[in-house]
Amino acid sequence: MTALPAYDLTGRTAFVTGAASGIGRATAVLLAQAGATVHGADRDEPGLMETVDLVARAGGTAHPHPLDVTDRPALAGAVRAAGPLHVMAAVAGIMHTSSVLETRDEDLDRLLAVNFKGVLHACQEAARSMIDAGVPGSIVTMASGAMDTASPGLLCYSVTKAAVVQLTKTLAAEAGRYGIRVNAVAPGWIRTPMTDRHEPAAQEQAEAAMIRHSPLGRVGEAEDIAHAVLHLASDASAFTTGQILRPNGGVAMPW
């Protein structure tokens, strides 16, 4: 049992999409450390197996489900195989950069397929699992600080993340009567493979810009976001639903 019982997930089953790296990996590891049996999904099978190994070496239990979240039957089958869920963390997502005028239909369609429909399907399957089993649960979606700012080049990404927020609020309103809570995490700049510029000077420049805007004077780490997910997944947030938690270093402070 954890030192704080409200954060103890012993005996609960959690499903994490995007579990092969970054925020998804950190979330899977932390939920397992809190006692949950974790099921991780990702199209990156080698990375997913590394996450499973990290969980095992820390004394936890994790099961891999190599799949693409755009493959709805595969995702549904994996959720069924996991058994009744107590927690769904829909973390999987991708990024695309283009100006508004240069954005093509296929760019937007690709991000909508992964960042919105992939989250929608994960939420639907998790909610059905919880309702059918009569299990009160927590669904945590992954939004982004990009929805709070006008970031040049991030139209597709920010639009899909704003859609995730509306999904989160709507499902929270609909699923509350079943004891299901639905909340979103909207990270700021987090050091992950998604934000890796693959060149040290470019990475330093990008991070320096984010640091200048943060009252805390740093960028985030994947573990910062994993702890936010754990809070929303656990009984510590038992009276919280339909909310957006913003671990962004103070870069954006919307009402």
Side-chain angles (χ1 to χ4, degrees), residues 213-216 246-253:
H213 288 90
S214 170
L216 297 180
R246 290 175 165 88
N248 62 24
V251 171
M253 302 182 187

Side-chain angles (χ1 to χ4, degrees), residues 89-113:
V91 179
I94 58 174
M95 186 174 283
H96 169 79
T97 302
S98 65
S99 71
V100 172
L101 297 183
E102 293 171 340
T103 296
R104 303 170 302 170
D105 285 353
E106 51 265 39
D107 299 329
L108 180 58
D109 290 345
R110 184 167 62 92
L111 264 72
L112 283 169

Side-chain angles (χ1 to χ4, degrees), residues 77-156:
V79 170
R80 286 195 299 271
L85 297 185
H86 300 84
V87 176
M88 167 61 79
V91 179
I94 58 174
M95 186 174 283
H96 169 79
T97 302
S98 65
S99 71
V100 172
L101 297 183
E102 293 171 340
T103 296
R104 303 170 302 170
D105 285 353
E106 51 265 39
D107 299 329
L108 180 58
D109 290 345
R110 184 167 62 92
L111 264 72
L112 283 169
V114 177
N115 292 3
F116 178 67
K117 292 180 72 174
V119 175
L120 171 63
H121 298 161
C123 290
Q124 289 174 322
E125 297 304 329
R128 289 179 181 128
S129 172
M130 295 169 185
I131 292 169
D132 290 346
V135 174
S138 174
I139 297 173
V140 184
T141 63
M142 197 58 53
S144 170
M147 70 183 187
D148 292 320
T149 59
S151 301
L154 291 184
L155 171 70
C156 295

